[in-house]
């Protein structure tokens, strides 16, 4: 239904004839804008001119409030953030709202009642629904950008007569763009997952619980690029989540040596489970580049995770008295507990 709305609202304003006119001889004692207004006024009767000014002000107010460049820039930033988020299925009793779940309200027996094969299928449906939602959001945002450009061009027209003649189309365009904005804002929040089949298998006399599935969003995990630093043979890594979860999260840290030169150096890589937002890795090779990635640990309810943050750090050169790089490679990286600072 939303895709049909997006297609319906995506139209072009035609027939306005907004060809720009040159002002060959502006008066020397007036600014350019005053000259244009003075000449425009000569093209219309006083009543028509007042109508033109009122309608022009209406259009300007819409562009500075409902569709301002600052607002569109903020929506683009939010859109980029959504592309980096992780998306999950939340299983809720029908009487609970999203975010109210906790281990006491939702015991693990809830998952035991759900058919695992059906749940895996619903995860695929959730991933598809999330991808479609992100595509629709991008399409709606593109319509808002295009609409803003159209209306800007309309304001720049030096001849007020086409503006007045096509005002009915302009009003319709303003209404449609407002509807597009409403749809965009409503779609920014993941909603209910559409379920066509029962997830709970027939369990005989046991009462089947009333559950519903929702798509939820978790903010991306990102490296702290100021606090993550490389030393001669070790690195100190820090990362954060914009909105911290109430329950401590588990993360997966990966690292690997870039451009290994020997078979032994190819072993300079690993996957590390971490239960904090900081970790140090030692016994790395001096004066070499390493790539690190971080993300949340795999979850049974994860349906879509299109992005993970990565960071490349270059260890410092070794001192002449220090051990040879080949010896460091044989030792292999060592891991130490997350820093307490």
């Amino acid at each position: 239904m939303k895709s049909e709305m997006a297609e319906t609202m995506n139209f072009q304003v035609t027939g306005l004839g907004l060809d720009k006119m040159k002002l060959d001889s502006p008066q020397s004692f007036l600014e350019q804008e005053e000259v244009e207004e003075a000449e425009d006024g000569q093209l219309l009767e006083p009543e028509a001119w007042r109508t033109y000014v009122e309608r022009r002000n209406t259009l300007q107010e819409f562009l500075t409030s409902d569709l301002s460049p600052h607002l569109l820039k903020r929506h683009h930033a939010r859109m980029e953030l959504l592309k980096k988020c992780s998306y999950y299925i939340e299983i809720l009793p029908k009487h609970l709202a999203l975010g109210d779940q906790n281990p006491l309200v939702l015991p693990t027996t809830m998952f035991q009642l759900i058919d695992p094969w059906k749940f895996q299928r619903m995860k695929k449906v959730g991933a598809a629904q999330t991808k479609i939602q992100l595509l629709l959001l991008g399409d709606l945002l593109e319509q808002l950008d295009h609409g803003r450009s159209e209306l800007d061009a309309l304001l720049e027209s030096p001849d007020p007569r086409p503006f007045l003649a096509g005002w009915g189309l302009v009003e319709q365009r303003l209404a449609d763009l407002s509807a597009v904005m409403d749809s965009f804002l409503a779609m920014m929040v993941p909603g209910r997952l559409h379920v066509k089949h029962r997830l709970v298998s027939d369990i005989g006399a046991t009462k089947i619980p009333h559950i519903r599935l929702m798509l939820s969003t978790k903010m991306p995990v990102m490296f702290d690029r100021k606090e993550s630093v490389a030393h001669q043979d070790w690195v100190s890594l820090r990362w954060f989540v914009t909105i911290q979860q109430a329950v401590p999260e588990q993360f997966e840290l990966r690292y690997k040596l870039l451009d290994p030169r020997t078979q032994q150096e190819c072993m300079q890589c690993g996957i590390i489970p971490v239960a904090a937002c900081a970790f140090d890795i030692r016994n790395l090779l001096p004066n070499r580049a390493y790539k690190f990635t971080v993300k949340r640990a795999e979850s049974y309810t994860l349906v879509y995770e299109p992005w993970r943050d990565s960071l490349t750090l270059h260890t410092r050169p070794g001192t002449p008295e220090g051990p040879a790089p080949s010896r460091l490679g044989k030792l292999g990286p060592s891991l130490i507990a997350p820093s307490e600072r």
Side-chain angles (χ1 to χ4, degrees), residues 59-256:
L59 180 55
Q60 285 180 323
E61 182 180 355
F62 180 84
L63 291 177
T64 54
S65 58
D66 297 31
L67 208 61
S68 68
H70 174 73
L71 185 62
L72 289 177
K73 182 178 180 181
R74 191 172 66 183
H75 287 329
H76 275 282
R78 293 177 66 187
M79 184 68 204
E80 289 304 311
L81 184 63
L82 283 178
K83 291 178 181 178
K84 297 178 179 180
C85 287
S86 304
Y87 296 86
Y88 296 80
I89 287 182
E90 297 285 357
I91 302 177
L92 301 174
K94 287 193 173 181
H95 64 278
L96 283 184
L98 184 64
D100 288 344
Q101 65 273 22
N102 59 61
L104 297 178
V105 178
L106 286 177
T108 55
T109 53
M110 182 73 73
F111 282 100
Q112 296 174 1
L113 296 175
I114 295 176
D115 186 300
W117 183 83
K118 291 181 179 179
F119 187 71
Q120 291 300 321
R121 186 169 62 178
M122 284 312 304
K123 287 174 66 174
K124 293 181 180 179
V125 172
Q129 186 171 316
T130 302
K131 294 175 184 178
I132 291 173
Q133 190 165 339
L134 290 174
L135 288 173
L136 284 175
L137 280 170
D139 181 69
L140 292 173
L141 191 54
E142 186 177 335
Q143 288 186 50
L144 293 174
D145 289 334
H146 184 66
R148 165 83 200 190
S149 300
E150 279 185 338
L151 297 177
D152 272 336
L154 188 60
L155 280 179
E156 293 174 1
S157 172
D159 190 347
R161 290 170 297 186
F163 182 93
L164 288 174
W167 180 249
L169 291 175
V170 175
E171 283 187 311
Q172 183 62 46
R173 185 60 165 154
L174 296 182
D176 287 337
L177 286 172
S178 295
V180 171
M181 180 65 79
D182 291 341
S183 298
F184 178 81
L185 295 176
M187 205 179 295
M188 290 288 282
V189 181
R192 185 169 183 173
L193 188 62
H194 303 292
V195 182
K196 295 183 179 180
H197 306 283
R198 283 172 45 185
L199 290 178
V200 181
S201 301
D202 187 5
I203 50 179
T206 306
K207 184 178 179 181
I208 298 176
H210 296 285
I211 62 175
R212 59 195 173 105
L213 300 183
M214 301 289 292
L215 283 173
S216 67
T217 305
K218 289 185 180 180
M219 292 294 105
V221 182
M222 293 183 284
F223 280 112
D224 187 331
R225 282 162 166 75
K226 291 184 178 179
E227 296 295 326
S228 297
V229 294
H231 303 274
Q232 179 179 322
D233 61 352
W234 66 285
V235 294
S236 176
L237 300 172
R238 303 289 183 272
W239 57 88
F240 64 92
V241 181
T242 307
I243 301 177
Q244 293 289 346
Q245 300 294 313
V247 180
E249 293 191 275
Q250 302 289 322
F251 302 96
E252 179 185 281
L253 177 65
R254 293 173 180 248
Y255 73 97
K256 68 175 182 178

Side-chain angles (χ1 to χ4, degrees), residues 11-22:
F11 71 98
Q12 302 289 332
V13 176
T14 59
L16 297 183
L18 303 180
D19 295 330
K20 294 185 179 179
M21 297 172 60
K22 278 192 174 181

Side-chain angles (χ1 to χ4, degrees), residues 282-314:
R282 295 187 178 272
N283 271 356
L284 300 178
L285 300 177
N287 199 25
R288 302 295 291 274
Y290 286 83
K291 181 179 180 180
F292 305 91
T293 60
V294 65
K295 72 179 190 72
R296 289 183 178 86
E298 285 293 331
S299 168
Y300 183 63
T301 58
L302 176 67
V303 297
Y304 187 56
E305 190 177 42
W307 180 87
R308 66 182 62 179
D309 197 14
S310 63
L311 175 67
T312 299
L313 293 177
H314 200 286

